[in-house]
Amino acid sequence: MKTRAITAFFFTIVMLGSIFLGGYTFTFFYLLLSLAALFEFFKLIKTAGIRPHRNIALFAATLVFLMTAGYHYLQFETKYLLLLVPLLFSVFISELYKKDKIPFANISYTFVGFVYVTTPFCFFYSLGFLASSAEYSFHLPLSFLLMLWANDTGAYLFGMKFGKTRLFERHSPKKSWEGFFGGMFTSVLASYLISLQFTEISSWVWAGMALLIASFGTLGDLVESMLKRSLNVKDSGTFLPGHGGLLDRFDGLLIAAPVVYTYLYLLLH
């Protein structure tokens, strides 16, 4: 617990610092974080004997993230995203030169990495520019993380105290419906406190965001548990002592961020 607490303290400071120190720091930090998480995903997949095209994928993921940042900062036309098409399809060509019995498994998991890791981080990053596409604001990304952390904390505490009814025992034996609704309660409570500080969005919109984060964040946790169980591993990595890997810490974000961005974009634009 001491190791977990120390790791959580310093990692929280780094996370909050990356959000508060401006748009360029936010961009650089989440570019590195998304690449590290993608690298961890491919390392995890290799334990099952699958050999994804890691180098091509990391290069393409860097371009995807930088193009997302360029869209927000430079407002260039989205047609330039088509430049990624030849790079993505180079995965198929590269596989021709690998002597492997499962070529399309290698190809498939390369693209799964983009969909499961890179794309959600791009959506989370874009929350910082949702209010004004050319100007960075920390309000939405900070609020997202606070609600996500509130949900995780509430789910743990309520689950420990009242948890009896299993939520999805096949993938996560310890999760309970009591913990799920407890996490949802604390997330909505956090959204109310946030609405008192960030008044540019109504409290009902903040509450809706909290409900989505609690629901899809929990599903993200279950999806990552399903991935680890399919590979017969306990943690996704060892990057965070006492907490496992980056995917263990950001599993909720990976499913919730695209949904929350879509929700807010449709309501605010």
Side-chain angles (χ1 to χ4, degrees):
M1 287 298 295
K2 182 178 179 181
T3 302
R4 284 177 62 87
I6 293 173
T7 301
F9 174 78
F10 283 106
F11 193 64
T12 301
I13 295 298
V14 172
M15 291 282 291
L16 294 178
S18 70
I19 291 174
F20 285 126
L21 293 176
Y24 291 115
T25 302
F26 182 65
T27 301
F28 181 72
F29 179 79
Y30 277 93
L31 169 61
L32 292 182
L33 191 63
S34 65
L35 292 176
L38 184 60
F39 182 89
E40 183 178 273
F41 173 80
F42 288 140
K43 185 177 179 181
L44 189 63
I45 291 301
K46 288 185 74 174
T47 62
I50 297 167
R51 300 166 59 202
H53 296 261
R54 187 184 64 191
N55 294 336
I56 295 176
L58 290 172
F59 182 64
T62 301
L63 288 181
V64 168
F65 197 96
L66 290 177
M67 283 188 169
T68 304
Y71 172 76
H72 294 304
Y73 279 109
L74 305 176
Q75 298 293 290
F76 63 67
E77 296 183 46
T78 54
K79 66 181 182 182
Y80 292 111
L81 291 173
L82 291 173
L83 294 172
L84 289 170
V85 173
L87 180 60
L88 293 176
F89 277 86
S90 69
V91 172
F92 292 89
I93 300 171
S94 178
E95 188 64 36
L96 290 173
Y97 297 93
K98 292 175 72 173
K99 296 179 180 179
D100 204 298
K101 295 181 180 180
I102 49 172
F104 276 87
N106 299 333
I107 293 169
S108 299
Y109 276 99
T110 302
F111 285 103
V112 168
F114 285 118
V115 175
Y116 182 56
V117 180
T118 303
T119 300
F121 271 105
C122 287
F123 274 109
F124 174 76
Y125 170 78
S126 294
L127 286 175
F129 301 87
L130 192 58
S132 173
S133 59
E135 295 181 9
Y136 169 72
S137 170
F138 66 83
H139 290 188
L140 285 174
L142 174 64
S143 300
F144 182 100
L145 290 179
L146 291 178
M147 292 182 205
L148 185 64
W149 293 340
N151 174 65
D152 291 343
T153 303
Y156 176 76
L157 295 177
F158 277 83
M160 288 287 290
K161 183 69 175 178
F162 305 107
K164 293 181 180 179
T165 311
R166 296 302 98 186
L167 176 64
F168 211 129
E169 193 167 7
R170 181 158 57 93
H171 293 305
S172 187
K174 294 182 180 180
K175 290 193 181 303
S176 65
W177 280 104
E178 293 82 2
F180 169 72
F181 286 115
M184 184 173 285
F185 169 76
T186 54
S187 186
V188 172
L189 179 61
S191 78
Y192 173 72
L193 298 176
I194 289 168
S195 71
L196 300 178
Q197 298 297 318
F198 302 150
T199 57
E200 69 271 24
I201 298 176
S202 73
S203 58
W204 291 107
V205 175
W206 285 120
M209 180 176 170
L211 291 175
L212 289 176
I213 289 173
S215 300
F216 287 93
T218 301
L219 288 172
D221 193 325
L222 291 170
V223 168
E224 204 245 352
S225 295
M226 178 174 64
L227 172 65
K228 291 189 294 185
R229 282 183 175 275
S230 70
L231 299 172
N232 197 30
V233 296
K234 181 180 179 182
D235 296 319
S236 65
T238 57
F239 187 81
L240 300 170
H243 290 265
L246 292 172
L247 296 178
D248 293 319
R249 291 301 92 207
F250 291 98
D251 48 10
L253 179 150
L254 297 180
I255 302 296
V259 176
V260 168
Y261 182 89
T262 302
Y263 162 77
L264 291 173
Y265 186 86
L266 291 175
L267 286 179
L268 302 180
H269 287 265

